[in-house]
Amino acid sequence: MRWGRYLPRASWGSGLGGAHQSADERIPFLIHWSLGTHLGAAWEGSGLGENLTPTPRGEVEAVECHRRNLAEWFSRLPREERQFGPTFALDTVHVDPVIRESTPDELLRPPAQLALEHQHPTAGLPPLSLSQLFDPDACGRRVQTVVLYGTVGTGKSTLVRKMVLDWCYGRLPAFELLVPFSCEDLSSLGSAPASLCQLVAQRYTSLKEILPLMAAAGSRLLFVLHGLERLNLDFRLAGTGLCSDPEKPEAPAAIIVNLLRKYMLPEASILVTTRPSAVGRIPSKYVGRYGEICGFSDTNLQKLYFQLRLNQPDCGTGAGGAGISATLAQRDSLVEMLSRNLEGHHQIAAACFLPSYCWLVCATLHFLHAPTPPGQTLTSIYTSFLRLNFSGETLDSTDPSNLSLMAYAARTMGKLAYEGVSSRKTYFSEDDVRGCLEAGLKTEEEFQLLHVFRRDALRFFLAPCVEPGHQGTFVFTVPAMQEYLAALYIVLGLRKTTFQRVGKEVAELVGRVGEDVSLVLGIVAKLLPLRALPLLFNLLKVVPRVFGRVVGKSREAVAQAMVLEMFREEDYYNDDVLDQMGASILGVEGPRRHPDEPPEDEVFELFPMFMGGLLSAQNRAVLAQLGCPIKTLDALENAQAIKKKLGKLGRQVLPPSELLDHLFFHYEFQNQRFSAEVLSSLRQLNLAGVRMTPVKCTVVAAVLGSGRHALDEVNLASCQLDPAGLHTLMPVFLRARKLGLQLNSLGPEACSALRDLLLHDQCQITTLR
């Protein structure tokens, strides 16, 4: 994930950690910076230090200001994290991932064909703790450059963020000065020349006065280069010349190369993070230690993370403090159920091997069990989850196409996901996976992009199946991700028949040259009495229209398939999709199905929900940032096709759980006008027996609360309603003529809410049970 990701608690240990140092305790080292005569000459010769004579106290203040600025910047939470409450902070939920030391020989070894297998620590190379990263190697040599690599979602950005914050708070006394660089930021500068001092001063103004003294810091100066895969580095002397002067302007990539060569600031320590495919861009002779970030390969780390995250005091509070906080007993119950499922259901443990998916599990549980912030949907959680992991990520920075990593995943993994939904399967053979990945590849460049995707991101989407009877197959990391990617594949228009692909190319070609050819034909027709010319002239106009009708029919077919999936009679008496999702995370109470029993038919009820959610304006804006834009016109035409089909099938009387699923689809779509038109014929709201959790109350109120027509009956008998749910549903109750609330154990505190309801000037209730 990017700088904005927060996951994974452990101290930095005795090697790097320690008590917070006061400014006075750091003065001796800073005095050493300013005493050397060679440093004084360097200061006088620098443009930045002209007419300035820094004092030790001034240097201390500059570093302290740098600490404060970094702490403020790296402590900022993205919107996705602020949903967990105002006191949520990285320090309170960090769990260090497993880091396995690796060797150059191991990095050169050809990876597994699908790069999905989790590599366990090699014998003789125990896992590394963070405090051991810069320890001497096995031969006793000092380690100055450490390269940490890991696939998407293993926690590289979180690890860097936590390290920077630890230094800001004085928990890294081994380093007197820490300078972090985002390689994504450096790559945006292109080849524009700038010196190392300028790069630092532009980003960290408080360090401007002490820049010429960096060389004296030696190994206590730490550069952090995050996301090295974004830079194209050329270590050949013919490509990047030698440069030892930190004040000489060079291309940013050249400066990084000379830092890693140890030709510029040779004593400085450097920590690099990168994806596996880019590890080889740094020659191994310049690297003192390699470390593979293996995520939460230990289930105990997963449990610790869930305990820290779900036991946050604000975890059950809505946005802005609204709603009712979850009690300690409720939070403990969630953690206990999740821990039991991790022990008994090994597939979810395999998913949570990636810290990113631990975040997704917690965000989903928060959505299901806490009051929902306005506008938050299940689709938006998954879209935000992908934004946190893939925002700004290109597949291969060395490829001139600059293809978005998420766009590539939507095309390949989306195809596999949709084929699985179409054939109602969740287990995929190696041939299935390879067929979707290698479909249509012809050039060497395309195979190179596939190689990068396999190494860096395939494990993010697919995991080896660990369920009995399905060994050797692959599943999507979490089941809902298959349905999300299948929906994304459809709404992006990536599903095309051969006729559509050829027809689109022909239509675009005809459209481009049609005007010019029509002009020529018009002139020729006046000069030569050829009867065939008018016919050809009309054909040029007809081709684009015919193709447009074919595309329209295709949209209607997709809408028909989506609506049929939503209203399958086979699913009429199963749980609603929200309960199904909670059960997939927390487990199902009661006896499990015997392995010899025939498997139940796969259910893909989230697929239509995600299709509706992805067409909402909010999700389309985020997808555009990921390189997966959905055009407004396409979204409108898809919505029209869906509305047409829903209007025909949506009038039938549905069982309570299916009716809630229908309302949930409209909630995900977030289009009140669309929902009002489709649901205008709804007269009875029968949700009897459906467990009305806070999120379900929010869904019903958001979809039906703003409607204008009256509801003949609202039946919420035996729904486990509480007073908070009663308050949430008040806009719906105002539209009801008959209201059934029996068998809910609302308690005496609900009396005031019911009194306010009946005395409301817009109340239409004639019968209350």
Side-chain angles (χ1 to χ4, degrees), residues 259-416:
L259 278 175
L260 292 169
R261 281 172 172 166
K262 291 303 174 185
Y263 204 78
M264 183 183 295
L265 301 181
E267 295 299 315
S269 301
I270 302 175
L271 176 68
V272 176
T273 67
T274 186
R275 301 201 309 244
S277 64
V279 172
R281 296 184 189 179
I282 307 176
S284 59
K285 64 181 179 180
Y286 299 125
V287 179
R289 173 170 287 126
Y290 292 97
E292 180 185 5
I293 303 177
C294 297
F296 294 159
S297 53
D298 185 349
T299 307
N300 291 324
L301 294 179
Q302 301 173 14
K303 293 180 181 179
L304 176 60
Y305 175 82
F306 290 130
Q307 289 171 0
L308 294 171
R309 171 77 68 155
L310 295 176
N311 279 322
Q312 287 293 298
D314 300 302
C315 190
T317 304
I324 299 176
S325 296
T327 64
L328 180 61
Q330 290 172 327
R331 296 197 296 267
D332 288 342
S333 177
L334 279 181
V335 172
E336 183 180 354
M337 292 177 67
L338 185 54
S339 297
R340 283 205 306 267
N341 202 28
L342 285 171
E343 294 171 357
H345 184 30
H346 301 295
Q347 197 61 55
I348 191 174
C352 292
F353 152 75
L354 292 174
S356 294
Y357 277 93
C358 292
W359 181 93
L360 180 61
V361 166
C362 289
T364 304
L365 288 176
H366 189 264
F367 173 77
L368 294 175
H369 294 276
T372 306
Q376 186 186 62
T377 65
L378 187 63
T379 311
S380 71
I381 289 177
Y382 273 72
T383 307
S384 298
F385 169 66
L386 293 176
R387 186 188 72 82
L388 288 171
N389 283 277
F390 293 97
S391 180
E393 290 277 7
T394 56
L395 183 57
D396 185 2
S397 63
T398 63
D399 185 73
S401 66
N402 205 31
L403 180 63
S404 158
L405 180 53
M406 189 61 227
Y408 190 91
R411 192 178 71 205
T412 53
M413 293 293 96
K415 177 179 173 63
L416 181 68

Side-chain angles (χ1 to χ4, degrees), residues 567-608:
F567 295 110
R568 288 180 74 230
E569 291 187 10
E570 296 90 335
D571 303 333
Y572 269 17
Y573 300 101
N574 58 10
D575 293 335
D576 58 79
V577 291
L578 293 171
D579 280 350
Q580 290 177 35
M581 193 143 206
S584 70
I585 296 175
L586 298 175
V588 180
E589 298 296 331
R592 295 180 180 269
R593 183 179 60 84
H594 192 275
D596 295 334
E597 293 181 16
E600 299 177 357
D601 191 19
E602 296 292 349
V603 177
F604 295 100
E605 291 184 273
L606 277 175
F607 169 64

Side-chain angles (χ1 to χ4, degrees), residues 157-347:
S157 297
T158 305
L159 200 63
V160 168
R161 180 178 291 272
K162 182 62 166 58
M163 185 175 189
V164 171
L165 289 176
D166 277 349
W167 179 80
C168 293
Y169 301 140
R171 295 195 286 263
L172 287 179
F175 302 110
E176 193 61 43
L177 182 62
L178 185 146
V179 181
F181 280 118
S182 165
C183 293
E184 180 181 1
D185 172 36
L186 296 179
S187 68
S188 67
L189 301 177
S191 58
S195 68
L196 176 62
C197 290
Q198 288 173 331
L199 292 176
V200 174
Q202 288 169 0
R203 286 150 185 79
Y204 309 109
T205 310
S206 57
L207 297 180
K208 187 178 293 186
E209 295 184 2
I210 61 173
L211 286 176
L213 309 179
M214 284 193 301
S219 62
R220 303 192 73 181
L221 168 63
L222 175 63
F223 287 102
V224 178
L225 306 176
H226 177 58
L228 192 77
E229 69 275 358
R230 299 304 301 266
L231 286 176
N232 296 329
L233 304 182
D234 188 354
F235 280 82
R236 297 172 305 154
L237 288 176
T240 305
L242 298 175
C243 177
S244 61
D245 185 0
E247 296 195 28
K248 181 181 178 181
E250 295 277 356
I255 292 175
I256 299 302
V257 166
N258 281 293
L259 278 175
L260 292 169
R261 281 172 172 166
K262 291 303 174 185
Y263 204 78
M264 183 183 295
L265 301 181
E267 295 299 315
S269 301
I270 302 175
L271 176 68
V272 176
T273 67
T274 186
R275 301 201 309 244
S277 64
V279 172
R281 296 184 189 179
I282 307 176
S284 59
K285 64 181 179 180
Y286 299 125
V287 179
R289 173 170 287 126
Y290 292 97
E292 180 185 5
I293 303 177
C294 297
F296 294 159
S297 53
D298 185 349
T299 307
N300 291 324
L301 294 179
Q302 301 173 14
K303 293 180 181 179
L304 176 60
Y305 175 82
F306 290 130
Q307 289 171 0
L308 294 171
R309 171 77 68 155
L310 295 176
N311 279 322
Q312 287 293 298
D314 300 302
C315 190
T317 304
I324 299 176
S325 296
T327 64
L328 180 61
Q330 290 172 327
R331 296 197 296 267
D332 288 342
S333 177
L334 279 181
V335 172
E336 183 180 354
M337 292 177 67
L338 185 54
S339 297
R340 283 205 306 267
N341 202 28
L342 285 171
E343 294 171 357
H345 184 30
H346 301 295
Q347 197 61 55

Side-chain angles (χ1 to χ4, degrees), residues 2 91 115-116 153 183 196 208 225 293 312 344 373 387 413 508 521 555 629 640 642 676 705 711 765:
R2 315 316 305 149
D91 276 351
L116 288 173
C183 293
L196 176 62
K208 187 178 293 186
L225 306 176
I293 303 177
Q312 287 293 298
R387 186 188 72 82
M413 293 293 96
E508 289 177 349
L521 289 177
R555 287 197 179 97
Q640 289 296 328
I642 292 171
L711 297 171
I765 296 177

Side-chain angles (χ1 to χ4, degrees), residues 33 52 148 282 639 682:
W33 277 17
L52 273 170
L148 298 180
I282 307 176
L682 182 67

